[in-house]
Structures are given as structure tokens and as C-alpha cells.
Amino acid sequence: QVQRVESGGGLVQPGGSLRLSCPVSESIFRIYAMAWYRQAPGKQCELVAGITSGGSTNYADSVKGRFTIFRDYAKNTVDLQMSDLKPEDTAVYYCNTFPLANDLWGPGTRVTVSS
């Protein structure tokens, strides 16, 4: 079991792209889906995308068609490729299980989409 440490965030203009990355715990991934969540300033945390160990994926309607979640086996991570970013995507992004096994979160990685 590994510590979740998200990476890949940054400041981009609308329409830009970022790739977020999160280490995978194989023992956890065998019994839970892995997911990306985000929390925008002043808002509640929301589920963005999830992926099972079998490769099944699910996306929030707000990101469907723009974000892709996938397993990077070379890096042993679950990545979130974010394209056509919009200002409303601005948030701190976190990885965790789905469903949530606990309320222990990594530091997150901040995504800011602004002109």
C-alpha cells in the first residue's frame, strides 16, 4: 500500500491540457475503484472520474468527453488526462478510492484554469 501523492497540476489557459498522476496501491485497487475528485474554492468535493482494476471507467457529466482516466502501468499510477480545460475546472484535485474507504486524503494537486 502506497501513499497517495497527486501531481501534475498547474496554471493553464482555457482550452489547455494537463495530465494528473496518482500512485496506485495494488492491494487497494484489487477491491476498490480508483477515482479522481476535486474541490473548487468554496464548494464541496465532487467525484470527477473513476476506474476499476478491470478498466471500467465512469465520468462526471461535466467532464465527459474532455477528461480520460487510465492506468499507467509503466509508472504504476492512475492518471487523469484533462483536455479542453475550462475555468470551472479550477480546483484542487485528489485521488482516492471509490467508494471512499476512509477520509484520509493526499495533499492534492491544484489546477487553475484562467486567462
Side-chain angles (χ1 to χ4, degrees):
Q1 185 171 325
V2 300
Q3 191 80 20
R4 296 188 182 94
V5 181
E6 302 91 343
S7 64
L11 172 63
V12 297
Q13 292 188 324
S17 298
L18 287 171
R19 180 171 169 173
L20 310 184
S21 188
C22 178
V24 170
S25 169
E26 291 295 341
S27 62
I28 294 178
F29 203 20
R30 287 188 175 94
I31 58 175
Y32 295 98
M34 289 298 301
W36 282 93
Y37 301 80
R38 68 186 181 188
Q39 186 168 23
K43 297 185 178 180
Q44 297 297 310
C45 187
E46 65 173 334
L47 177 66
V48 176
I51 184 170
T52 69
S53 60
S56 179
T57 59
N58 183 260
Y59 299 91
D61 287 341
S62 60
V63 307
K64 198 171 299 181
R66 300 187 297 117
F67 292 9
T68 302
I69 187 171
F70 62 96
R71 174 75 184 273
D72 187 323
Y73 289 94
K75 299 193 303 178
N76 198 31
T77 60
V78 169
D79 289 5
L80 184 68
Q81 178 64 51
M82 311 166 66
S83 299
D84 191 23
L85 284 161
K86 303 176 179 181
E88 49 264 44
D89 296 318
T90 295
V92 178
Y93 285 70
Y94 303 90
C95 63
N96 212 327
T97 60
F98 182 86
L100 289 171
N102 54 54
D103 202 32
L104 301 177
W105 299 82
T109 185
R110 186 176 298 274
V111 172
T112 302
V113 186
S114 179
S115 299

